[in-house]
Amino acid sequence: RSLVLGGADTVPGETPVVHLVGARVSGKLRLVFAEACCVLRLEKCWFEQAPQLYGARLHVTGFGGSWLPGLGANSVTVEGDLDLMRARVAGTVTLTGAHITGSLLLQGARLSGAGAGTRTGTGTGTGTVGLALDGSRLEVGSGIVGRDGFRAEGEVRLPGARAHGGLLLDGARLHHPGGEALFAEGLQSARVDCGQGFHADGAVVLTGAAIEGTVSFEGGTVQNPAGDAIACSRVQASEAHLETAHTEGTVDLRHARLDVLRTAHGAPEVPDVSPLRLDGLVYRAWEPMAPVAHRLATLRRDPDGYRPQPYQQLAAVCRSVGHDDEARRVLLARQRCRRGTLRPAGRAWGLLLDATVGHGYRPWLAGLWLTALTLLGTAAFGAAGPRPVKPGEGAPFSPLVYTLDLLIPFGGLGQRNSWYWEAGPVQWLAYALVAAGWLLTTAVVAGVTRVLNRS
């Protein structure tokens, strides 16, 4: 401690270094509110007590390869890197409110919350959990690097942290089953990389994070079967990569804002990763390009059930790339899913609109119905002989024109009021065609009006 605080002679123009390798430190290294004058490198050392660096101002500081029962570094300022590479920490590393101008280096480190403080889970987890690293409000200038075999037994907490160079955890393994393996709510970072060998036994929470670049889980594994495996609600990022990600649990993207959403591409029966919660998600593109049936299968698997916004968003994206037919198909699927939430009368009316005009998105269906009924009526009326209302007056009987006169509820073609039938099946067919004409007209008007009001 004396050397760190300037107890040795210095050489002008040179930076002093305290470099200790392989030592066993039986006392407590206490640098609370101290201001170091040198670089501190303590490699492969064994600490019987956790170093206390609260509020200290340090230069480059390293505990590479050392064993520690914990590390107390709340509100510390490090001018340069804080090096914990290959360190073994059997307790909590506390960096709450710390400021590191360089990088937080965790490559090959083993952090364990065993024997450390506990806290009650506030996210998807419940119960009491150990903390491996507490970096609440931590600010790191060059990024948090947890690659190359970084391991954490217990929760890694980074709420409100700022990692200007990125949070890089590809290849890391975080173990905290039933709770949050990584809790980084409100994180601000250049990018987040949790892919290519990343494994989390517990939830990854990035709720409300602001990411300048990409959030990637490509090639990563996140397991939290009882809840959200990946919680990215209200995240803002340029891209979210979920392709080839293996997740057990749901993926929450509600109210996130993305430029590009990338998920797996397969057949509709092979869904995208785990079920996606998509209500309120806004994106410009969903890649790679896939059949709309595949995207609709993903929307139908939303654990929250029917929500209109994901269908509206997908339809808007389809329109933006010129796929108007696919947009109409998406909106039709939305109406069909909505129908399941209605009361029996609403469901019956919805079925009628679907069958007759496709809820206004398939108006040509009405033409098919009209053609089929016209052929039916023409054949039936042509085989039977009607009676004139006023013999010798009116136009000659035409089965085709008579059928059209029954089907069209407005105006008249001069046939309906000039001829009548004796009681029997043909007369009931005439009544049925009149009713069908009114139903078709009402359905067409209702469907087209709904589409125009919402387009």
Side-chain angles (χ1 to χ4, degrees), residues 18-25 40-45 47 66:
V18 174
H19 189 187
L20 191 63
V21 181
R24 185 180 186 97
V25 183
L40 179 61
R41 295 179 60 190
L42 304 172
E43 299 182 46
K44 301 179 182 178
C45 294
F47 289 82
S66 296

Side-chain angles (χ1 to χ4, degrees), residues 132-422:
L133 185 151
D134 189 354
S136 304
R137 304 184 308 281
L138 168 66
E139 182 172 1
V140 183
S142 297
I144 301 172
V145 186
R147 292 168 166 162
D148 302 329
F150 170 55
R151 302 289 185 270
E153 295 285 337
E155 182 180 358
V156 174
R157 281 180 55 79
L158 298 169
R162 289 186 286 177
H164 298 290
L167 175 60
L168 310 177
L169 297 175
D170 46 311
R173 298 184 68 87
L174 311 181
H175 184 75
H176 187 213
E180 296 95 348
L182 173 62
F183 183 80
E185 187 176 77
L187 172 72
Q188 298 179 46
S189 180
R191 62 191 178 107
V192 174
D193 193 345
C194 294
Q196 301 307 329
F198 174 80
H199 185 101
D201 191 357
V204 173
V205 180
L206 297 172
T207 304
I211 312 301
E212 297 175 12
T214 298
V215 178
S216 178
F217 290 89
E218 184 179 2
T221 299
V222 184
Q223 297 174 317
N224 188 40
D228 290 336
I230 300 174
C232 287
S233 61
R234 305 194 309 278
V235 162
Q236 297 186 39
S238 63
E239 296 187 20
H241 289 240
L242 297 172
E243 64 267 47
T244 71
H246 176 69
T247 53
E248 294 183 18
T250 57
V251 177
D252 186 358
L253 295 172
R254 291 175 299 169
H255 304 288
R257 300 184 69 87
L258 307 171
D259 288 335
V260 179
L261 171 64
R262 297 186 64 89
T263 60
H265 173 47
E269 62 271 13
V270 182
D272 294 327
V273 290
S274 290
L276 301 178
R277 304 175 74 182
L278 299 174
D279 188 30
L281 170 65
V282 177
Y283 53 92
R284 294 182 181 180
W286 190 345
E287 296 181 352
M289 295 295 293
V292 70
H294 178 68
R295 300 304 187 211
L296 290 174
T298 301
L299 267 55
R300 284 192 290 267
R301 295 177 65 249
D302 192 322
D304 295 330
Y306 167 72
R307 294 290 187 273
Q309 189 275 340
Y311 292 89
Q312 293 290 141
Q313 175 64 40
L314 180 56
V317 171
C318 290
R319 284 199 194 99
S320 69
V321 294
H323 296 167
D324 292 340
D325 290 342
E326 291 188 352
R328 287 190 289 271
R329 184 175 176 183
V330 171
L331 294 173
L332 177 57
R334 178 178 68 87
Q335 290 292 344
R336 289 172 174 172
C337 290
R338 174 180 175 270
R339 191 167 65 219
T341 67
L342 301 178
R343 295 182 178 180
R347 287 197 295 270
W349 177 243
L351 283 169
L352 176 63
L353 288 177
D354 195 356
T356 53
V357 290
H359 290 278
Y361 300 109
R362 293 180 174 178
W364 49 266
L365 284 175
L368 293 180
W369 279 105
L370 182 62
T371 300
L373 293 175
T374 300
L375 293 176
L376 174 63
T378 301
F381 297 139
R387 294 180 177 236
V389 175
K390 295 180 179 180
E393 297 183 9
F397 179 73
S398 170
L400 173 60
V401 177
Y402 183 80
T403 302
L404 292 175
D405 205 359
L406 295 177
L407 288 172
I408 299 174
F410 305 106
L413 300 178
Q415 291 278 316
R416 183 192 310 183
N417 298 325
S418 300
W419 303 90
Y420 73 96
W421 307 89
E422 297 289 346

